[in-house]
Amino acid sequence: MTSRANDRELRWVGRPVPRIDGEAKVRGCATYVHDMAWPGMLFARIKTSPHASARIVRVDTGEAEQVPGVRAVLVGADLPYKVGLYMIDKSILARDVVRYCGEAVAAVAAETELAAEEACERIRIEYEPLPAVLDPVAALAPDAPLVHPGLAEYGRMKGVFFPRPGTNVAHHQKIRKGDLLAGFRAADRTFEHAFSNPPVQHAFLETHTAIVQALPDGRVEIVSSAQSPYTVRQLFSVCFGIPLSRIHVRVPYVGGGFGGKAGIHLEPLVYCLSRKADGRPVKLTISREEAFHTMPSRQGLRSRIRTGVRNDGRITALEVEYLWDAGAYADYGVNVGRAAAYSGAGPYDIPNCHIDSLVVYTNKTFGTAYRGFGHLEVLWGIERNLDLIARELALDPYAIRIGNCLRAGSTTITGEEVTANPGRPDLCLEAAAKAVGWGEPRSGPAPGGTRRRGRGLALLHKAPAMPVFTSCSAILKFNEDASVDLLVSGVDYGQGTYTALAQIAAEELGLPVDRIHVVWECDTDFTPYDWQTVASRFAFMGGNAVIDAARDCLAQLRAVAAQVLHAPESELVCADGKVSVVHNPGSSLDYRRLVMGYTYPNGNSIGGPVIGRGRYIAQGLTHLDPETGQGRPALDWTYGAHAVELEVDTATGDIEILHLASAFDVGKTLNRQQVVTQIIGGVVQGIGSAVSEEFLFDAQGRFRNAGFVDYKIPTAKDIPRRMSQHIVETPQLDGPYGARGVAEHPMISIPGAIGNALADALGIDFFELPLNPERVYLAIKKAGRKKTTDEHR
Amino acid sequence: MEATRRTIRLVVNGKPRSIEVAAHETLLAALKERLYLTGAKEGCGVGECGACTVLLDGRAVNACLVLAVEADGRELGTIEGEARPDGSLSALQRAFIDHAALQCGFCTPGMVLSARALLRRNPRPSREEIVEAIAGNLCRCTGYEPVIDAIAAAAEEEAAEGSVVPPAASAGAGEGRGP
């Protein structure tokens, strides 16, 4: 939505406004669910499965129920419910069978956490182990054990997801564009490469936690560390058949989400515990170990990419198979497989393209949304693939990208025509490459040492992955002193969106930003509808809703002021907290005299409290054709690029990043500091995916590294020597002030850029993540042995 | 499960307090449940993430790894005691806001207190020393660089001011007692 305010100099949008949540957080008085206790509250713990696949033969809770202080014990057999957002495939507690090691099989609520813990230990469960399927390739074999034999009966979002009953395929997303065979015939060379990514964890610092109370009159009180209060309410209602108006969901400060708190998680279980415990409120906080092996993660991926290329580097055909290691439940993972398919060729103009993206059930920790929603995974392969091809064709990796990237006039692989205004991947690549001195002679490291230097590039793109009908709303409510409460139900769990929304409201209303109070707690009883806080769509959609609400307020102010000032509404200007007559600024009214209604000297009063209502619904999206994937899935595309210069120590396999330059076309910078810090944070998170993070399973499918000691996320010691951020601004015509989202994007393509730089430094190609010292060192040794053998021949 | 209980006396953010705790209770639990100070966060409960960092006799410790009874007779500093005596933000807190050194905020109290412990023993730390001091505080949002910048800026400002140390942190300073 463009704004009238574009006509004049912006006072708040694009200005350096500090985070509005800063003070509460540095004083330690931002209250998270973790910090909360309700009167009479019980504490819950869960018992998890030690097997990846097993039949539950016998359950004995007798001893557990005798533990002093225990008020409720539940097992799967007690809970005949299924829950899910896209594919309703998960029970609240495992029933009859367990499908992954770490799956919750029983839960206890007790007066103390210790008593709940002890009772969990005393629940006896007899299992009959069943064959487990631990990798998506094995899961596709005709004789593979079925993770969900009842797949055909599951409810799902129809017409969008296509499971294959009788197999382990939860969803098959097809993209068919052009004539693939003709494309390969037009190619001078054909290449085929395979890549893989392991599953990884969000590792937000606040683990999942919820307090729920089942009230005697049937109402349900929920406070949850969740990204999407309305979606929690909706899915909860569907699960239990409770009307929406009887369910009250609150979300206070949230300690990180990154997609892992989207959808619904603990709330149904905690509700059932409360119901069993005679309506006492119950709190369940997931332990860090459970955060790894019980709660969902980013699913693993295997990619196979076949590319037809002309000798000048132009891609003529692309055939891709993505196999997603969805784990035991694909509720959310099906949409990762869908979204990553419709962007699955990268930000490139591919005339002939086939993609088959299969979301495959396995007996492992299950997948969900994680920052980038499949794009980090697919672009690892796409961006490495381009460098491998460039080397074979003796082309510069920069040139092959520029030669193929999307530009005005191109069509995407779903048939969407690229117009002049949606963002410029070429400018992003140029800015990032220039920052690391791409094409210039290299300096260092000192010759003779064990360190080798290399440079790498990678492009990226992503659009919000969301239903075609995604909508949101905002309310701006004036207070008596002409300050404003801003109410939305998108959650700011760290992205800084509320600060940006406050800036937009201040700009539109003509008030200082400190007069805008963003109500921090989202509350389905008070704050207006928003679908989910995911997909980097909140600043875009929420921003447009706030603009709409602000204009509603101004119309109300002008209507009353026009009567008082005896001027037509069209000649009234709202600025600096006043409504003034445009050609006679002396004739004006302070907002304070209007926002609760205006009172004439004789006492007559007109108007009334000013409350603005705003809304926004995604524009112009279409369903994708089930056979070809053609359609318009994307609200807006954010493009970006990373360039890396690194050194690798051949004696240890250690990588040190000297400079990591990132560029994004954000359309319009709403707040430069927020954009820059969002980029830095995403880049470092991407470095974790690139060089250290992976789930380890043993041969039986048991999780081996469920904790921060064995699963390494970046620490302050692991950041690049230098990071630089470069902002491109090609306005998004329907974005707030021209802005588009940039929350997930900084993480995407970090592995590709690092992998390409590593290949440049070592002359060794890596196809699997992470690029940890062990993998790099062993590859160097192997290459050395091969070289020695070759020399001896 | 009759837990053994003990009364401990300690100085919390400059004020003497006396509380009854269970023998097995962690300092983190006592902070939340007995002292109603919820600023320290639990990110793992096993000393791996640093979100529950508090100052014990001026030194940074993981409150999840310290038993409450071990705090008997000692000085405890929490994020609630980090502001200046007049209630305004400390230079460190101000710098965290100015540098956007926080996003979700869950690691922030621990991060600020690790920085406070550093600045107390080393008012002019190098960048490497800052990194070392917060290496045990995991943050998944910020990418650390803004945090390091904030601590460096606060160090400079406090050094210029002639070391303004909040009362909670100053009590027990220099005694060199570890946890």
Side-chain angles (χ1 to χ4, degrees):
Chain A
M1 193 176 289
T2 48
S3 171
R4 277 161 40 113
N6 282 343
D7 303 336
R8 56 183 168 83
E9 196 191 338
L10 298 177
R11 292 200 176 174
W12 299 105
V13 167
R15 299 286 161 197
V17 173
R19 292 186 70 102
I20 58 175
D21 50 342
E23 179 160 356
K25 287 173 177 175
V26 298
R27 284 186 186 273
C29 63
T31 302
Y32 302 78
V33 181
H34 262 250
D35 307 324
M36 293 180 173
W38 291 2
M41 189 178 84
L42 300 171
F43 297 86
R45 298 295 304 142
I46 56 171
K47 185 176 184 75
T48 60
S49 163
H51 300 287
S53 176
R55 181 164 308 287
I56 299 170
V57 179
R58 199 168 294 112
V59 179
D60 179 0
T61 59
E63 220 181 295
E65 279 156 19
Q66 298 310 310
V67 172
V70 168
R71 299 289 173 256
V73 179
L74 288 176
V75 298
D78 303 326
L79 306 175
Y81 310 105
K82 279 224 178 322
V83 62
L85 175 65
Y86 291 119
M87 176 79 88
I88 305 177
D89 62 0
K90 193 172 183 305
S91 300
I92 295 173
L93 291 169
R95 287 165 66 82
D96 307 321
V97 294
V98 291
R99 295 189 173 87
Y100 70 100
C101 176
E103 180 165 15
V105 288
V108 174
E111 298 290 343
T112 65
E113 199 153 3
L114 218 57
E117 186 91 51
E118 189 184 337
C120 277
E121 282 167 23
R122 290 177 187 237
I123 297 171
R124 307 264 174 254
I125 300 178
E126 193 183 316
Y127 296 97
E128 176 199 338
L130 297 171
V133 56
L134 299 175
D135 116 26
V137 177
L140 289 179
D143 58 346
L146 294 182
V147 180
H148 290 271
L151 183 55
E153 285 89 62
Y154 292 165
R156 65 174 192 276
M157 194 182 269
K158 298 276 182 349
V160 180
F161 297 106
F162 307 100
R164 280 199 218 144
T167 75
N168 284 313
V169 176
H171 175 53
H172 181 182
Q173 182 70 45
K174 296 178 197 170
I175 304 290
R176 303 285 182 265
K177 180 193 175 192
D179 182 339
L180 193 69
L181 290 178
F184 277 112
R185 275 199 302 274
D188 296 313
R189 303 274 302 272
T190 299
F191 299 92
E192 188 164 341
H193 297 293
F195 304 89
S196 76
N197 308 58
V200 304
Q201 236 290 322
H202 313 78
F204 30 73
L205 265 285
E206 181 200 37
T207 58
H208 290 87
T209 179
I211 306 171
V212 183
Q213 184 167 23
L215 292 164
D217 61 1
R219 284 180 301 130
V220 185
E221 288 290 333
I222 298 173
V223 58
S224 182
S225 175
Q227 288 181 212
S228 312
Y230 276 88
T231 290
V232 169
R233 192 177 73 158
Q234 170 68 21
L235 299 179
F236 193 96
S237 167
V238 170
C239 180
F240 295 107
I242 300 173
L244 291 174
S245 59
R246 311 288 283 167
I247 306 162
H248 181 201
V249 181
R250 293 192 289 132
V251 175
Y253 283 90
V254 174
F258 311 119
K261 293 173 182 169
I264 191 166
H265 294 282
L266 304 177
E267 300 84 355
L269 174 60
V270 188
Y271 165 70
C272 293
L273 285 167
S274 172
R275 211 171 52 176
K276 183 93 186 275
D278 301 325
R280 295 265 299 268
V282 177
K283 182 175 190 178
L284 173 57
T285 301
I286 285 300
S287 73
R288 182 55 62 184
E289 184 182 12
E290 290 158 355
F292 278 98
H293 70 57
T294 301
M295 302 310 290
S297 59
R298 177 200 283 157
Q299 45 198 11
L301 174 67
R302 283 166 187 250
S303 319
R304 204 171 46 74
I305 304 173
R306 196 164 151 252
T307 320
V309 195
R310 292 197 318 232
N311 284 330
D312 63 1
R314 185 74 181 92
I315 296 169
T316 58
L318 190 71
E319 186 182 21
V320 185
E321 181 188 72
Y322 291 129
L323 293 186
W324 298 92
D325 188 354
Y329 300 98
D331 159 27
Y332 220 129
V334 289
N335 202 33
V336 174
R338 177 177 180 272
Y342 65 64
S343 340
Y348 301 105
D349 181 356
I350 312 290
N352 306 292
C353 180
H354 277 201
I355 295 179
D356 288 278
S357 179
L358 281 82
V359 181
V360 185
Y361 285 120
T362 59
N363 291 112
K364 282 152 85 175
T365 307
F366 64 106
T368 192
Y370 177 24
R371 194 176 195 171
F373 209 68
H375 291 59
L376 179 142
E377 298 92 297
V378 301
L379 282 161
W380 158 241
I382 292 291
E383 290 300 298
R384 282 291 296 125
N385 182 55
L386 272 179
D387 264 40
L388 289 160
I389 294 170
R391 191 201 299 145
E392 288 297 316
L393 299 178
L395 292 170
D396 186 306
Y398 182 89
I400 198 170
R401 286 179 171 80
I402 291 291
N404 284 294
C405 82
L406 289 170
R407 51 176 50 82
S410 309
T411 50
T412 67
I413 57 170
T414 70
E416 180 186 341
E417 201 169 317
V418 178
T419 57
N421 64 294
R424 296 283 300 273
D426 54 334
L427 295 184
C428 294
L429 189 67
E430 186 186 335
K434 196 172 159 198
V436 300
W438 189 266
E440 291 168 21
R442 302 153 194 241
S443 56
T450 56
R451 289 169 80 90
R452 304 282 178 271
R453 192 172 285 195
R455 290 178 185 149
L457 298 174
L459 268 175
L460 66 99
H461 68 163
K462 188 186 177 295
M466 60 194 195
V468 289
F469 48 77
T470 301
S471 66
C472 71
S473 49
I475 290 173
L476 292 172
K477 186 163 67 70
F478 268 94
N479 296 310
E480 297 90 319
D481 61 356
S483 67
V484 177
D485 292 340
L486 192 165
L487 284 75
V488 288
S489 291
V491 179
D492 187 335
Y493 40 91
Q495 323 91 301
T497 318
Y498 285 0
T499 304
L501 295 184
Q503 290 173 263
I504 290 171
E507 191 73 55
E508 290 287 330
L509 293 172
L511 283 171
V513 76
D514 62 10
R515 305 295 293 277
I516 311 295
H517 165 232
V518 182
V519 175
W520 207 271
E521 186 164 291
C522 296
D523 184 320
T524 54
D525 277 6
F526 299 102
T527 57
Y529 177 82
D530 194 331
W531 170 65
Q532 286 219 75
T533 325
V534 295
S536 314
R537 45 139 318 261
F538 185 27
F540 185 117
M541 297 188 66
N544 280 341
V546 167
I547 291 173
D548 195 33
R551 290 176 186 178
D552 188 13
C553 288
L554 296 183
Q556 294 172 41
L557 289 170
R558 273 198 295 266
V560 177
Q563 295 183 53
V564 180
L565 299 173
H566 306 292
E569 284 179 44
S570 59
E571 289 183 15
L572 295 179
V573 176
C574 299
D576 302 321
K578 283 185 296 210
V579 186
S580 329
V581 179
V582 66
H583 55 83
N584 182 13
S587 180
S588 71
L589 275 173
D590 195 290
Y591 286 178
R592 277 170 227 257
R593 299 182 62 191
L594 294 165
V595 292
M596 292 297 141
Y598 178 80
T599 301
Y600 286 98
N602 76 348
N604 291 169
S605 299
I606 56 169
V610 173
I611 300 171
R613 183 199 66 155
R615 60 187 187 173
Y616 187 77
I617 189 162
Q619 297 294 299
L621 304 190
T622 69
H623 297 295
L624 300 182
D625 183 282
E627 288 308 313
T628 65
Q630 298 298 295
R632 187 162 188 266
L635 182 65
D636 63 316
W637 291 100
T638 304
Y639 297 102
H642 298 291
V644 170
E645 183 165 43
L646 57 71
E647 279 184 11
V648 52
D649 190 332
T650 55
T652 61
D654 261 322
I655 294 169
E656 186 186 9
I657 299 171
L658 307 179
H659 186 181
L660 202 158
S662 310
F664 294 93
D665 192 339
V666 302
K668 163 74 185 172
T669 308
L670 299 174
N671 182 324
R672 187 177 165 83
Q673 186 184 50
Q674 298 298 315
V675 171
V676 164
T677 52
Q678 195 64 212
I679 294 172
I680 295 170
V683 163
V684 171
Q685 210 172 102
I687 290 171
S689 288
V691 306
S692 65
E693 297 181 36
E694 66 177 323
F695 287 178
L696 300 173
F697 296 93
D698 69 10
Q700 284 74 45
R702 285 176 299 214
F703 207 106
R704 283 170 49 204
N705 56 339
F708 285 134
V709 167
D710 299 311
Y711 180 98
K712 299 285 189 198
I713 70 169
T715 71
K717 290 182 165 180
D718 303 312
I719 66 174
R721 223 186 268 177
R722 180 172 169 220
M723 290 180 265
S724 63
Q725 300 78 35
H726 310 270
I727 295 174
V728 177
E729 293 185 312
T730 313
Q732 176 78 24
L733 298 185
D734 53 357
Y737 293 84
R740 56 177 77 87
V742 68
E744 299 164 279
H745 309 78
M747 174 162 202
I748 302 168
S749 276
I750 292 284
I754 292 177
N756 289 338
L758 201 53
D760 182 47
L762 296 171
I764 300 172
D765 287 310
F766 293 87
F767 300 89
E768 296 172 1
L769 289 178
L771 304 166
N772 58 27
E774 184 182 350
R775 173 166 283 128
V776 173
Y777 176 80
L778 290 174
I780 293 167
K781 285 285 138 198
K782 193 174 157 198
R785 275 199 305 275
K786 186 169 176 296
K787 197 171 164 218
T788 316
T789 318
D790 290 347
E791 280 165 4
H792 282 289
R793 269 181 197 151
Chain B
M1 288 203 310
E2 209 45 42
T4 315
R5 305 186 75 80
R6 255 186 67 184
T7 299
I8 61 168
R9 287 173 183 76
L10 67 171
V11 176
V12 183
N13 296 329
K15 291 182 181 167
R17 295 292 304 266
S18 165
I19 54 171
E20 196 183 69
V21 299
H24 65 262
E25 195 167 313
T26 64
L27 180 57
L28 181 57
L31 274 171
K32 285 184 188 299
E33 289 157 28
R34 321 275 171 209
L35 294 162
Y36 307 106
L37 295 172
T38 57
K41 305 297 178 213
E42 180 172 331
C44 68
V46 290
E48 295 173 356
C49 77
C52 65
T53 303
V54 295
L55 302 177
L56 204 52
D57 292 337
R59 289 189 172 184
V61 298
N62 287 318
C64 71
L65 292 185
V66 177
L67 289 175
V69 292
E70 292 179 76
D72 195 11
R74 300 170 74 175
E75 305 268 350
L76 179 63
T78 72
I79 193 66
E80 289 86 352
E82 168 62 21
R84 293 169 197 257
D86 67 357
S88 63
L89 295 171
S90 72
L92 202 48
Q93 290 171 313
R94 191 75 254 162
F96 267 65
I97 298 172
D98 291 345
H99 291 262
L102 54 90
Q103 289 185 25
C104 85
F106 204 74
C107 75
T108 307
M111 200 67 95
V112 168
L113 291 177
S114 282
R116 173 56 61 208
L118 168 70
L119 298 189
R120 287 169 37 79
R121 64 175 189 272
N122 179 3
R124 293 177 183 276
S126 66
R127 224 170 153 82
E128 289 67 32
E129 287 166 332
I130 293 172
V131 167
E132 193 62 46
I134 60 165
N137 291 80
L138 295 180
C139 171
R140 194 56 153 172
C141 300
T142 63
Y144 302 104
E145 193 174 78
V147 178
I148 299 164
D149 291 343
I151 297 169
E156 211 162 288
E157 193 185 326
E158 289 191 354
E161 280 176 14
S163 183
V164 178
V165 178
S170 66
E175 290 176 17
R177 275 195 293 168

